[in-house]
Amino acid sequence: MENIAEILEGVKIMGIGGHIRPDGDCVGSCMALYLYVKTYYPEIQADVYLDNPKPVFGHIDCMDEIKTELDGDKEYDLFVTCDVSARDRLAIAGPYFDTAKRTACIDHHISNSGFAQVNHIRGEVSSACEVLYGLFDPEKVVRTIAVPIYTGMVHDTGVFQYSSTSPETMRIAGELMKTGFNFSKIIDESFYQKTYVQNQVMGRVLAESILLLDGKCIIGYLKKRDMEFYGVDGKDLDGIVSQLRLTAGVEVAMFIYEVETQSFKVSLRSNGNVDVSKIAVYFGGGGHMRAAGCDLQGSVYDVINNVTEQICKQFQEQEV
């Protein structure tokens, strides 16, 4: 696929959906596609489904039009997923994807093997938003569409610092900025800014973190009862694993938080020598070489032991 117009021909009703616990790239790509279709294809009735996006993305137009639950029985002519690495990662709109006449996947996860009828997956690109931009007519990317694309690129590149950031990424960011939005405000308020309680939680995790594997691996852990004490949930924990990764001497950071008894969410970050996407995929998750995640069952000690075992294997392979 070279242009989004290829899959929109003849479509009267379409759905757009992102992954569970949508991050900036997921929200940005879904909303950019929605706004592009709404602006240039008014004959198409488009619905966008996302799993309760965080308020920090309120600067994106038409966020109030997002559907956060199924909207009755529908059969879409086309259903497009954005930033979804596998069918089981698709959030609330899974049933609509399954019954759609045609399906398409726009993504950048290297672990994505292609689960739609049309798959446009570029694992070397910084973000789903950058992939999507490549399918749009550049002259049609006005400010309202540029804002969600820029937001997604900012979030998935860590404000243009991760290794996936390329000269092309920066060129596109520059083109988007020309449309006239307040880019520094988007970065500060949607990426860096934390609430007082979020800072307290991060401080606690950092203070109680442990180093393993001769200081090459750092682990942070948060119990469910502690999350309840602070009144936070998974959406409030962004940035913790990235801060752990910045510890001097660390190659891999792992952040674990308890969802239910014997059930955990695991986020992994790497400084480059360990491919954490391979580890996440091994445990049924997914992601990128330097940023990935998965869900694991058992005790927290089981989780730590099982994941660190896979980390050790990669270190050992490098020594051979």
Side-chain angles (χ1 to χ4, degrees):
M1 180 165 52
E2 295 184 0
N3 191 289
I4 198 69
E6 296 175 29
I7 60 171
L8 296 179
E9 185 175 353
V11 172
K12 293 182 179 179
I13 179 171
M14 71 176 289
I16 302 166
H19 60 69
I20 55 176
R21 298 185 300 278
D23 58 8
D25 191 29
C26 178
V27 174
S29 55
C30 286
M31 290 307 296
L33 178 56
Y34 175 71
L35 291 166
Y36 191 89
V37 171
K38 185 174 181 176
T39 303
Y40 299 110
Y41 296 85
E43 71 278 10
I44 298 177
Q45 178 190 329
D47 295 323
V48 58
Y49 296 88
L50 286 169
D51 183 16
N52 295 307
K54 291 179 287 188
V56 295
F57 301 121
H59 62 278
I60 297 173
D61 279 12
C62 298
M63 289 292 288
D64 60 333
E65 297 178 16
I66 291 172
K67 297 181 183 296
T68 57
E69 57 186 26
L70 295 179
D71 190 25
D73 293 330
K74 286 187 176 181
E75 183 182 53
Y76 287 102
D77 296 327
L78 172 69
F79 197 99
V80 182
T81 66
C82 296
D83 199 36
V84 180
S85 61
R87 167 62 185 83
D88 61 4
R89 295 286 295 170
L90 182 58
I92 56 172
Y96 293 151
F97 177 88
D98 294 338
T99 59
K101 295 175 183 177
R102 295 173 60 208
T103 58
C105 169
I106 298 171
D107 191 30
H108 72 125
H109 290 89
I110 58 175
S111 58
N112 192 334
S113 59
F115 58 91
Q117 293 170 327
V118 177
N119 296 286
H120 188 73
I121 303 163
R122 295 188 58 193
E124 78 283 4
V125 173
S126 73
S127 57
C129 279
E130 183 177 341
V131 175
L132 186 64
Y133 179 87
L135 296 174
F136 288 167
D137 293 329
E139 66 274 10
K140 291 183 177 180
V141 180
V142 294
R143 187 193 64 80
T144 53
I145 299 168
V147 165
I149 296 176
Y150 185 84
T151 299
M153 291 173 64
V154 162
H155 278 253
D156 250 33
T157 61
V159 193
F160 307 109
Q161 65 169 314
Y162 297 159
S163 61
S164 59
T165 305
S166 68
E168 178 66 3
T169 305
M170 302 307 295
R171 184 195 70 78
I172 292 171
E175 291 298 319
L176 297 171
M177 290 165 63
K178 290 178 183 178
T179 63
F181 55 85
N182 190 335
F183 59 89
S184 60
K185 185 176 181 181
I186 289 175
I187 292 171
D188 283 344
E189 295 186 1
S190 77
F191 188 83
Y192 285 122
Q193 193 174 86
K194 306 294 180 189
T195 66
Y196 179 66
V197 171
Q198 285 175 317
N199 283 331
Q200 285 185 308
V201 173
M202 180 181 290
R204 176 164 182 166
V205 173
L206 296 177
E208 297 179 354
S209 62
I210 59 173
L211 288 170
L212 297 176
L213 306 180
D214 297 323
K216 293 181 180 179
C217 177
I218 189 168
I219 299 172
Y221 169 51
L222 194 61
K223 298 176 182 177
K224 184 181 179 184
R225 69 186 183 197
D226 294 328
M227 294 174 66
E228 292 171 347
F229 172 80
Y230 287 106
V232 298
D233 58 24
K235 293 180 181 178
D236 298 305
L237 307 179
D238 288 352
I240 293 178
V241 69
S242 295
Q243 189 62 45
L244 288 167
R245 181 188 65 84
L246 295 175
T247 306
V250 162
E251 292 290 344
V252 184
M254 183 193 320
F255 173 55
I256 306 164
Y257 71 89
E258 186 179 26
V259 181
E260 298 291 346
T261 302
Q262 301 272 301
S263 179
F264 301 89
K265 298 287 184 185
V266 181
S267 294
L268 299 166
R269 296 293 184 271
S270 168
N271 282 326
N273 290 328
V274 173
D275 185 345
V276 291
S277 71
K278 290 183 178 179
I279 297 171
V281 169
Y282 180 84
F283 291 111
H288 310 284
M289 179 177 177
R290 294 196 178 192
C294 57
D295 299 339
L296 287 175
Q297 312 299 316
S299 71
V300 66
Y301 305 105
D302 293 331
V303 172
I304 292 173
N305 289 337
N306 290 336
V307 176
T308 53
E309 180 182 12
Q310 296 303 312
I311 294 171
C312 282
K313 285 183 179 179
Q314 290 200 33
F315 282 140
Q316 291 167 358
E317 290 170 359
Q318 293 168 14
E319 294 172 357
V320 175

